[in-house]
Amino acid sequence: MKVFLLFGLVALALAEVTRFEGEKVLRLKPVMDEHVVLIRELAASIEFDFWSPDSAEMVTIDIDVDIHVPAAYLDLVSTMLQQSDMETEVLIEDLQVSIDAQTGPTPRTHSYTNYNSWDKVQSWIAAISTSNSALISKQSIGSTYEGRPMTLLKLGKKSSVTKPAIFMDCGIHAREWISPAFCQWFVKEALSTYGSDSQMTSLLDQMDVYVLPVFNIDGYDYTHKSNRMWRKTRSRTSGTSCLGTDPNRNWNAGWCTTGASRNPCSETFCGSKVESEVEVRNVADFLRRNKADIKAYLTIHSYSQLVLFPYSYTYDLAADHSELLKVAEGASSALRSLYGTRYTSGPGAATIYPAAGGSDDYAYDIGVKYSFTFELRDTGRYGFLLPASQIKPTCMETMLAIKYIAAHVQENLY
């Protein structure tokens, strides 16, 4: 009986869902060194969840800081912020209410206009990969830490010769749900418009597009089942009870030199070593094996409405800076043409903040010239909890930007 009771308690613990009643997301606007010091001191003593920037180390003057504050600390934080005279705005009044609004009743089957669980995405991958064998195929590039298959979709007209390719991944950070939603939308649009849309037809005739629908599958599944705000992987590091590594700080690109943490409990933990995360290693291995053919690398994140390119681990400009800036600005303009949504373009370090170990910098450093990071909607009103009603417009406008980049790559193969 005791054994059964123990198993019951373990099962209950595993099924426990983290709740966020009464917790708020605040926007702080530091304009003095004293404000920056206060934010960092608060972060050191209170378990802040930084939404933007990613950590206290990246807080600087004149850059808005979005933080998720636990209910138990709200009075203390509010008092200290008032005493500092720092301008503060409440972005989300009750985090759990916003989560419930985003994760309300959804269709039982996969939907392009709802946020799909990993189980639904996995079923969709199986179905879509057999829907049009002349244009799509799938391959496994390995498994995640928890043993889930990382399935890569290959879009493009079949050819007897190797074609130049674009690689795109989504969902490297678990809680950024709009990102995997876009990858699914892209695959749908590519297949459904081939033959009727001249640009997409040309792209898939001349190039292949590799799409990894969800990069951080373990983390993504965990956000649906246990903790909506989870960001990292779900791996274990020896010597600590804190789980996970930031998979976008784990690449061999200035690894752990700036904008990352060696603290395993940090949201920006860089890992115990370069490519300590099997998910990162699987994708990096694929990029290395195919770097001669991969001409563009696109990684989709949220939020902030940005088109970024190397470098993030240094303020030094990339050798192709002028061209990359022109392409990023063109993509932003194409995106804006649909709904007027404004994106900012530029190199990561100078445009937002320095951050080492990122996938776009790694891809660029191994020779993939057209390497871009998208930070999708919005600019903070909803943050990581973008309503499902915004999936379609977000994906439609982002398609224009991706197609702009793809067209430039097609015309400038190297």
Side-chain angles (χ1 to χ4, degrees):
M1 180 63 74
K2 290 182 179 179
V3 173
F4 286 118
L5 178 60
L6 176 60
F7 278 124
L9 292 173
V10 171
L12 181 63
L14 291 174
E16 185 177 348
V17 176
T18 303
R19 303 284 297 178
F20 301 92
E21 276 89 357
E23 305 193 2
K24 298 183 187 299
V25 177
L26 307 179
R27 171 162 290 173
L28 315 182
K29 302 184 179 184
V31 295
M32 300 185 296
D33 288 336
E34 291 83 354
H35 293 161
V36 173
V37 170
L38 174 61
I39 294 171
R40 290 178 177 172
E41 287 179 345
L42 283 171
S45 58
I46 297 172
E47 292 183 357
F48 275 170
D49 173 15
F50 280 86
W51 282 28
S52 179
D54 291 335
S55 69
E57 293 80 10
M58 302 176 202
V59 175
T60 58
I61 292 174
D62 294 329
I63 299 294
D64 289 352
V65 180
D66 297 351
I67 56 171
H68 157 212
V69 185
Y73 297 109
L74 276 171
D75 289 343
L76 172 63
V77 171
S78 297
T79 299
M80 296 189 74
L81 291 175
Q82 288 173 4
Q83 291 174 348
S84 73
D85 289 328
M86 190 188 325
E87 185 178 350
T88 304
E89 176 185 357
V90 178
L91 296 180
I92 297 179
E93 187 69 36
D94 188 310
L95 189 57
Q96 189 61 49
V97 171
S98 295
I99 290 173
D100 291 342
Q102 191 194 43
T103 58
T106 58
R108 296 181 64 181
T109 57
H110 179 276
S111 168
Y112 291 104
T113 54
N114 280 282
Y115 294 111
N116 298 293
S117 66
W118 169 244
D119 291 342
K120 290 179 183 177
V121 174
Q122 192 172 26
S123 297
W124 169 82
I125 289 172
I128 200 78
S129 61
T130 59
S131 64
N132 188 338
S133 60
L135 285 179
I136 186 170
S137 61
K138 68 176 181 177
Q139 66 181 97
S140 173
I141 59 170
S143 297
T144 67
Y145 179 83
E146 294 181 342
R148 296 178 175 88
M150 295 181 69
T151 303
L152 190 64
L153 297 174
K154 179 182 179 182
L155 307 178
K157 185 179 179 180
K158 295 294 187 289
S159 172
S160 59
V161 298
T162 301
K163 297 192 294 182
I166 294 171
F167 187 100
M168 179 167 62
D169 62 51
C170 291
I172 199 167
H173 288 140
R175 62 190 179 186
E176 298 170 10
W177 283 8
I178 187 60
S179 170
F182 175 72
C183 264
Q184 293 161 67
W185 185 279
F186 177 87
V187 172
K188 170 186 73 76
E189 284 295 297
L191 296 179
S192 64
T193 63
Y194 179 85
S196 59
D197 179 274
S198 59
Q199 185 180 348
M200 185 61 73
T201 304
S202 173
L203 173 63
L204 298 186
D205 281 347
Q206 297 180 23
M207 300 187 72
D208 290 324
V209 182
Y210 293 102
V211 179
L212 185 61
V214 184
F215 188 117
N216 181 8
I217 301 170
D218 296 345
Y220 183 73
D221 189 62
Y222 191 70
T223 63
H224 279 268
K225 293 178 178 177
S226 299
N227 184 341
R228 176 62 186 86
M229 291 295 103
W230 189 261
R231 165 187 168 92
K232 301 188 288 181
T233 61
R234 295 291 298 164
S235 62
R236 292 186 178 275
T237 299
S238 61
T240 178
S241 61
C242 293
L243 299 183
T245 289
D246 184 338
N248 205 39
R249 298 291 190 278
N250 193 231
W251 299 73
N252 189 15
W255 178 75
C256 223
T257 54
T258 183
S261 174
R262 294 184 184 273
N263 177 3
C265 299
S266 169
E267 294 285 11
T268 56
F269 177 47
C270 60
S272 58
K273 61 181 180 179
V274 167
E275 295 180 20
S276 62
E277 303 313 283
V278 64
E279 297 89 351
V280 171
R281 189 163 64 252
N282 288 341
V283 176
D285 281 344
F286 184 87
L287 294 177
R288 285 189 286 262
R289 288 195 306 270
N290 298 278
K291 64 181 181 180
D293 305 316
I294 296 174
K295 305 304 179 184
Y297 171 79
L298 308 174
T299 182
I300 313 299
H301 294 242
S302 74
Y303 61 96
S304 286
Q305 297 178 191
L306 304 167
V307 182
L308 306 174
F309 53 86
Y311 283 110
S312 290
Y313 70 80
T314 176
Y315 284 104
D316 294 344
L317 298 182
D320 303 289
H321 172 81
S322 296
E323 183 182 5
L324 294 176
L325 178 60
K326 182 178 179 181
V327 174
E329 290 178 339
S332 297
S333 179
L335 185 153
R336 186 169 62 247
S337 69
L338 189 58
Y339 298 112
T341 309
R342 294 193 170 274
Y343 273 53
T344 301
S345 307
T351 305
I352 45 173
Y353 43 73
S359 63
D360 58 348
D361 284 355
Y362 176 76
Y364 184 79
D365 278 349
I366 66 169
V368 182
K369 179 166 75 167
Y370 299 110
S371 183
F372 296 95
T373 293
F374 277 74
E375 295 281 357
L376 302 184
R377 290 189 189 185
D378 59 6
T379 56
R381 169 64 184 85
Y382 296 103
F384 302 122
L385 301 176
L386 194 71
S389 60
Q390 292 198 33
I391 293 175
K392 182 177 180 179
T394 301
C395 290
M396 288 178 66
E397 66 188 11
T398 306
M399 281 295 299
L400 299 178
I402 298 298
K403 289 171 72 173
Y404 180 91
I405 293 174
H408 182 89
V409 175
Q410 269 187 271
E411 296 166 4
N412 295 273
L413 293 173
Y414 56 94

